[in-house]
Each structure stands twice: as structure tokens, then as C-alpha cells.
Amino acid sequence: METATVKAGGWRSMALAGTMLIGVAQAQQALPEQPAAVAEDTEDASRPTPAEGDVTTLGEVRALKPEEDPPLDLYRFRNPVQVEDNRFSRSWSEPPTPEQVSLSGGYLMMGINYGLMAAAKGLHKLTNGRDQIQSAVARPPPELSEQQRLRALRFCRQQEGCSTGD
């Protein structure tokens, strides 16, 4: 008796699976082409009808991207004491947070990078090399010979609008 119930249940599941396959196959097929008169009626039905009377319509709505600022945390600790910079502030750096450590490759990579930076700084100091970022030094303006000045003055007179600079 029990086997008959299983067989009947198996038949039902097969029938259900077959109807689902037929439905999926029909959904993947292209729609048959409709006559022109029927197509025009469906296009007219899909178009919105113009507003009648005193109906106000909304203008264009634009979504704004949220700001990149971190959200305000009302429960975070704010230190009321403001400490001024002193001689130790220059060489002190806060230890990295666990997030910063994981983003930079872990403690091993951070140690390797720190060692490379210290070696590069020492090599730079030993060789008395110039800093990578230097202030700009302007060159003096070029001195013109007497012949070049006369040529520039003639050109300026032809233009009738430049100053002589004297």
C-alpha cells in the first residue's frame, strides 16, 4: 500500500515538472506577430492620456548621491582637552588600527615597508641627495642684444600697440 502512494506521488511530481518545463519553454519563445490594427490599438492604450483641467504635473526629479562624510556618532568620545603641538609631536605617530593593518597587507608587509623607508631615508642622508620635492627657483629674464632690441622696437611700431618697457 505504501509503495502505491510513493508511485502516485512520483507521478504527480513528474507531471508538475513537465508543466513547469512547458511554461518555461513558452516564456522563452518570441510573441507571435499581431495584425497592424491590433498593434495600433495596443500602442494607443500604452500611451498616457494628456491631463485635462487644472492638473499640475511634477517637474524633473533628480536623486542626489549621499555625501561621503562619515555619519555623526552622538555617543563617540570627544576629548575636551586640546593639546598643542610640541617637540615630540613631530616624531610621534599613532599606531595603526586593525583595519589599517589588514588593508595594508598585514604586520609583515608593514614591517617590510617600514624597513625599506628607513633604508631609503638613510641612503638619502648619506649621499646628500636633493629632496624629492623642491621649491621652484625662477631664472632671470633673458638679456637682449642691441640688435634684438632694435628689431623688437621696429616690430612694436608696426603693431602700434605695445609698450616699450622703458
Side-chain angles (χ1 to χ4, degrees):
M1 192 71 169
E2 195 172 310
T3 56
T5 308
V6 172
K7 287 182 183 178
W11 178 82
R12 287 186 191 134
S13 61
M14 291 297 286
L16 181 62
T19 54
M20 289 177 64
L21 284 174
I22 292 171
V24 169
Q26 287 177 350
Q28 291 178 354
Q29 292 179 355
L31 294 175
E33 291 189 24
Q34 298 176 350
V38 175
E40 289 175 6
D41 291 340
T42 57
E43 287 178 10
D44 290 338
S46 65
R47 289 187 193 141
T49 57
E52 297 175 4
D54 283 339
V55 178
T56 58
T57 58
L58 294 176
E60 181 178 327
V61 178
R62 292 186 181 181
L64 299 176
K65 183 178 179 183
E67 295 180 8
E68 297 292 328
D69 296 336
L72 178 62
D73 185 7
L74 298 175
Y75 298 106
R76 78 178 172 107
F77 174 72
R78 285 186 204 92
N79 193 355
V81 179
Q82 298 295 326
V83 180
E84 295 180 15
D85 288 342
N86 56 25
R87 57 185 276 168
F88 301 108
S89 299
R90 201 173 22 170
S91 61
W92 173 258
S93 63
E94 290 289 326
T97 63
E99 180 185 12
Q100 291 171 335
V101 170
S102 65
L103 289 175
S104 64
Y107 286 111
L108 182 64
M109 283 302 296
M110 287 180 68
I112 291 171
N113 288 338
Y114 181 77
L116 288 174
M117 285 192 310
K121 193 180 289 184
L123 183 65
H124 181 71
K125 191 172 185 178
L126 282 175
T127 59
N128 283 338
R130 289 184 169 182
D131 292 333
Q132 289 184 358
I133 300 174
Q134 300 176 11
S135 58
V137 178
R139 63 175 178 80
E143 290 294 323
L144 299 177
S145 66
E146 190 61 35
Q147 184 182 13
Q148 290 172 331
R149 283 186 192 168
L150 290 173
R151 194 173 106 207
L153 187 61
R154 273 186 267 129
F155 179 76
C156 202
R157 286 184 186 149
Q158 290 174 356
Q159 296 294 322
E160 299 178 359
C162 53
S163 63
T164 56
D166 292 323

